[in-house]
Amino acid sequence: MRRLLKIFRRKVVVPKPVLDEGLPFKERYLYFKKLLSANNTVLEIMADMEEKLSGEYIFDMNYIRTSCSKLVDSVQNIIVNLDKLSKGKYPNLYFAFAKINSKIEATLTNKTDIPVTDFTIPFDSVTKEMVNSVGGKNANLGEIKNKIGLPVPEGFCISAYAFKRFIEFNELKNKIILNSVDIVDMEGLNRISREAQDLIMNSQIPPDIENSILNAFSELSRKISGRASSPTASVRSSAIHEDAQFTFAGQYKTALNVNTDNVIEQYKRVISSLFSPRAIFYYKSKGFEEDDMVMAVGVVEMIDAKASGVMYSRDPTDAEKNDIIINAVWGLGKYAVDGTVSPNVYIVSRDEPRTILEKTTPVQEVMLKCNPKEDVVEVEVPEEIRATSCLTDDQIKFLADYALVLEKHYDIPQDIEWALDENNNFFILQTRLLRILKEKPVKNIQAITSGYKILINKGQIACKGVGAGKVFFVKKEEDLEKFPEGAVLVAKQTSPKFVKVMNKTSAIVADVGGLTGHMASLAREYNVPTLLGTEIAMKTLEAGKEITVDAINGNIYEGRIEELIKAGKRENPFKDTAVFKVLRALLNNIVPLKLIDPEDEKFSPDYCETFHDITRFAHEVAMREMFQVADSPNIRKRETVKIEVKIPLEIYVIDLDGGIKSTSKKITPDQILSIPMNALLRGMMAMEWPGPPPLSVKGFFGVIASTTMQPHSERLLWEPSFAIISKEYMNFNIRLGYHIQTVEAFAGDNINDNYVRFLFKGGGASIDRRARRTRLIKEILELTDFDVKRTGDVLDARVTKYDKVTILKKLGLLARLTAYTKQLDMTLFNDAMVDWYIKEFVNKYYTEDWE
């Protein structure tokens, strides 16, 4: 009893400031803040990169490289600041980082290899395996000529190695910089394009390359002299990735009917088209990099076609159909692919005997023909054949056989360009893979569209899907620069230039154009719902009015039909592009979280497999390091300020940064600026603190017994409480008799920073009563979503990633619980009492706001 009275009469000695013997608290807090900031940056970058995989955004490799660079820097900052905060406890985190980063670098390092070859290579020596030497288009023509045996024009390739030599010879690699260009910035895209193309056109072709081209052209002229009195050629693009997985349809220049005097100039024009605005957009939107932008060129015998066109070995809009589609125009095929005229359309069964299922022969007023000297000229179609079929039935079936031969060889549906010369000889000018879209039919279409006015019910479906938006007329290329997000592009005729806004448009409608044109191919590649050949859209539709384009059933409706849009929802058009594949591979080393449970023995740097693991581990142990600050013996040696507050606690604070607004040694609660400390104090002051609880004799002597058994028990009963605070942070070590509780909290504007941690241990009663009190606290905290771990009379609880308002409400709960449970262990002589007090607290103080 004398010992107990001595404890009650002890006076509190205010700690006097001395020099800190450990790491300064402000410095620790600074490292902690920097770590939190870097952690938030990492989480934001990861979220943004994951969002890009949704398909609702367009991005390029520059975005990926920039994001990865920021990510690597931020993860390194996390590790460095944790290292300083913990005084080097986790050196293996550096090794985990290096291992993960090496995988990321390996994924990003994937350059196109351009082999050393001759500057010119004849078609006779080319096969499809030579893509990196001669480009996709040339490689396919060589394959058709040398492996399949179908007729192709004579010609030769100007190799990719020649292009590489040209770039090096003129030192253009460091002058043409595309990495920083934003593909959604039309003005910037056009400016960069002009600069790059001007550099190409003003540069010199190395003399050895020029001689090689002229010699090859001379040999080509000799070969074809029997078919033409004045041999000429077409100079065609054949970029490395062209006509491979991605079509690049209509993105590059082709020069027609070129003679030997102009072949060098036209070669430069073709390679400069590698840097046209729409080609740059296409390249970057598909995930290619500057090193991938390599242009080989084909110099191909010019066929002055009687008729020409495009054919598909399958219907690209319907995977279930068993048809071949052939489009044909009089004259050169340019008008067939760019939508200048409406072509003849022939639908042919793939089954023997190649039945012609459908023939459409619109009137063709004009056609493109070779000029006798050079270049091409538009002329009128002779009146007697304007409304007649370009091909006979036998010729249609003959072409259909070619389509099936090519499909069988490549083992994939083909998109084929062909020409018929004046002697009725067919030539294959190009073949590439044909993209087949699989769209599910919209069910209950009549029920969905009931009550909506049909504006147009005619046209050819070039790409299935449903899109809605405001009508935007594109009458000239400059209109594309003003194209609004989500609008419906409406034009007189199709153009491959529309590719520049295919990431923005919800649908495309054109009065003139065919299923087999370049723009139709691009629309399918970008998965944009497209109706062509509507004839009246420019006259019928009104600019700025909202419409719904149903490119599954071939109708255009007035207004926006949400249910129809939802039913016709399309797949992500970029999911198979190179850029998506790279991003997916990178995110495998960035996003997955393996380290989940801090109590798991594998929660350590040795088991960090992703950047997310590193951030999770670092954030957890950083909170532990800060949580231990208040238990440091140096806390009592710091410059402290006393809070004059009317609750049974003696509180001293250490201000790290902006936590109080006074320089006095004593302050009042209204001078506390710390957001979490304010919340906790307000809650404590709002409570009527209980006096000494009624004790049973057993409970009273249990307290005495427990007291005398605890070391330094006199000091424990009257220990002052300390808080380390800043504007947003608090670590409050509360001493209440024989039990100790620590409340740590961060309450800022960024939800990822915010947390509350609550540690409770000890008490003056026997161990069973102390355990009952922690059970009571645990059950109350779990009602409000705290994650609680309890072992005997020790309790550890936390909540994380709540907004600031909710965090402050949680602190209000802890304040009331602190007052309510003070000395409550002395009364908890059985479990029924625990249940009774829980019920009382819930009835008196519980509010759903704390959840």
Side-chain angles (χ1 to χ4, degrees), residues 23-36 78-90 618-629 729:
L23 187 66
F25 291 119
K26 285 189 176 181
E27 192 174 333
R28 291 173 73 104
Y29 179 66
L30 178 63
Y31 295 143
F32 182 61
K33 285 275 286 183
K34 286 181 177 179
L35 186 149
L36 289 181
I78 288 173
I79 296 170
V80 167
N81 283 290
L82 178 62
D83 192 57
K84 292 177 179 177
L85 178 63
S86 67
K87 298 181 182 179
K89 287 183 184 176
Y90 310 103
H619 188 268
E620 176 66 28
V621 297
M623 288 195 296
R624 288 181 196 169
E625 292 292 330
M626 290 303 294
F627 196 76
Q628 293 165 5
V629 167
Y729 175 74

Side-chain angles (χ1 to χ4, degrees), residues 269 459 773:
R269 291 191 183 281
R773 177 163 59 178

Side-chain angles (χ1 to χ4, degrees), residues 431-627:
T431 192
R432 59 188 170 212
L433 70 86
L434 176 64
R435 191 175 298 272
I436 308 291
L437 294 181
K438 296 180 180 179
E439 291 287 345
K440 296 178 181 178
V442 178
K443 296 179 180 179
N444 303 321
I445 183 69
Q446 291 183 337
I448 292 174
T449 57
S450 177
Y452 288 91
K453 181 180 179 181
I454 296 179
L455 300 175
I456 297 175
N457 63 353
K458 62 192 300 184
Q460 191 174 19
I461 297 167
C463 179
K464 286 188 176 181
V466 178
K470 294 181 178 179
V471 171
F472 186 89
F473 291 121
V474 175
K475 299 177 181 178
K476 54 186 182 299
E477 187 175 359
E478 290 76 14
D479 293 338
L480 296 172
E481 297 182 17
K482 299 174 288 185
F483 192 87
E485 187 80 34
V488 174
L489 190 159
V490 181
K492 177 66 177 175
Q493 66 185 58
T494 60
S495 169
K497 295 175 182 177
F498 295 170
V499 73
K500 292 195 287 185
V501 296
M502 284 186 180
N503 62 311
K504 292 182 178 181
T505 184
S506 61
I508 296 174
V509 178
D511 284 341
V512 179
L515 177 66
T516 58
H518 285 327
M519 196 228 67
S521 294
L522 292 168
R524 288 189 290 275
E525 201 165 321
Y526 282 83
N527 211 356
V528 179
T530 301
L531 278 179
L532 304 179
T534 52
E535 298 180 4
I536 59 171
M538 293 292 287
K539 296 178 181 178
T540 305
L541 302 179
E542 189 177 340
K545 291 292 185 181
E546 196 147 44
I547 60 171
T548 297
V549 178
D550 174 9
I552 296 175
N553 300 284
N555 297 317
I556 298 176
Y557 295 91
E558 186 176 61
R560 187 179 185 88
I561 310 177
E562 292 293 348
E563 192 175 353
L564 186 59
I565 297 167
K566 184 178 179 181
K569 189 175 180 180
R570 295 158 284 152
E571 290 186 357
N572 177 2
F574 301 105
K575 66 179 181 179
D576 294 323
T577 62
V579 70
F580 262 67
K581 290 177 181 177
V582 170
L583 183 57
R584 283 194 200 99
L586 286 169
L587 290 181
N588 286 336
N589 293 305
I590 293 171
V591 171
L593 184 61
K594 310 291 177 63
L595 268 62
I596 298 173
D597 184 5
E599 303 301 318
D600 192 322
E601 62 179 12
K602 291 184 178 180
F603 194 86
S604 76
D606 295 337
Y607 291 93
C608 288
E609 297 180 17
T610 65
F611 277 169
H612 202 170
D613 285 339
I614 289 178
T615 59
R616 171 75 174 98
F617 175 82
H619 188 268
E620 176 66 28
V621 297
M623 288 195 296
R624 288 181 196 169
E625 292 292 330
M626 290 303 294
F627 196 76

Side-chain angles (χ1 to χ4, degrees), residues 117-340:
T117 65
D118 293 337
F119 298 136
T120 55
I121 304 171
F123 281 175
D124 294 336
S125 304
V126 173
T127 63
K128 67 180 181 181
E129 288 77 24
M130 297 172 65
V131 169
N132 281 12
S133 296
V134 300
K137 191 179 296 182
N138 285 335
N140 282 334
L141 281 176
E143 182 77 6
I144 296 167
K145 178 181 177 66
N146 301 312
K147 295 289 185 71
I148 305 176
L150 296 183
V152 300
E154 294 290 344
F156 65 91
C157 315
I158 306 175
S159 68
Y161 179 65
F163 173 84
K164 184 179 178 183
R165 268 292 310 281
F166 168 76
I167 295 294
E168 291 171 351
F169 182 82
N170 294 283
E171 298 179 343
L172 297 180
K173 187 172 178 62
N174 296 324
K175 298 175 184 177
I176 300 175
I177 307 297
L178 303 179
N179 276 343
S180 60
V181 66
D182 185 349
I183 55 178
V184 298
D185 175 12
M186 285 292 179
E187 186 177 335
L189 200 63
N190 289 334
R191 177 178 51 78
I192 291 291
S193 171
R194 283 193 302 271
E195 292 171 358
Q197 289 184 300
D198 286 345
L199 283 169
I200 296 287
M201 294 307 298
N202 293 326
S203 295
Q204 180 187 354
I205 301 291
D208 50 354
I209 295 178
E210 182 172 340
N211 289 333
S212 182
I213 294 171
L214 293 175
N215 289 336
F217 197 97
S218 178
E219 176 60 20
L220 173 62
S221 298
R222 186 191 64 76
K223 282 184 178 180
I224 63 176
S225 58
R227 288 204 288 257
S229 57
S230 300
T232 58
S234 63
V235 182
R236 309 180 68 188
S237 66
S238 184
I240 294 302
H241 298 284
E242 190 175 2
D243 289 355
Q245 183 180 0
F246 304 101
T247 66
F248 291 84
Q251 299 310 299
Y252 304 126
K253 182 176 177 59
T254 293
L256 299 175
N257 204 28
V258 177
N259 61 35
T260 186
D261 295 334
N262 287 323
V263 67
I264 298 300
E265 178 72 8
Q266 293 302 333
Y267 169 65
K268 287 171 66 173
R269 291 191 183 281
V270 171
I271 61 175
S272 74
S273 71
L274 185 66
F275 303 101
S276 70
R278 65 180 187 267
I280 294 172
F281 174 89
Y282 188 97
Y283 246 100
K284 292 175 75 67
S285 70
K286 295 299 184 182
F288 298 108
E289 300 188 77
E290 285 183 47
D291 288 338
D292 296 312
M293 297 184 75
V294 179
M295 178 70 83
V297 170
V299 180
V300 186
E301 172 190 2
M302 187 69 207
I303 305 297
D304 191 11
K306 172 184 175 181
S308 51
V310 178
M311 65 176 166
Y312 292 159
S313 64
R314 286 187 179 274
D315 186 335
T317 67
D318 193 335
E320 302 301 319
K321 283 189 176 180
N322 195 37
D323 301 337
I324 297 166
I325 299 173
I326 301 173
N327 279 15
V329 297
W330 292 113
L332 298 176
K334 184 176 185 296
Y335 279 6
V337 296
D338 68 8
T340 301

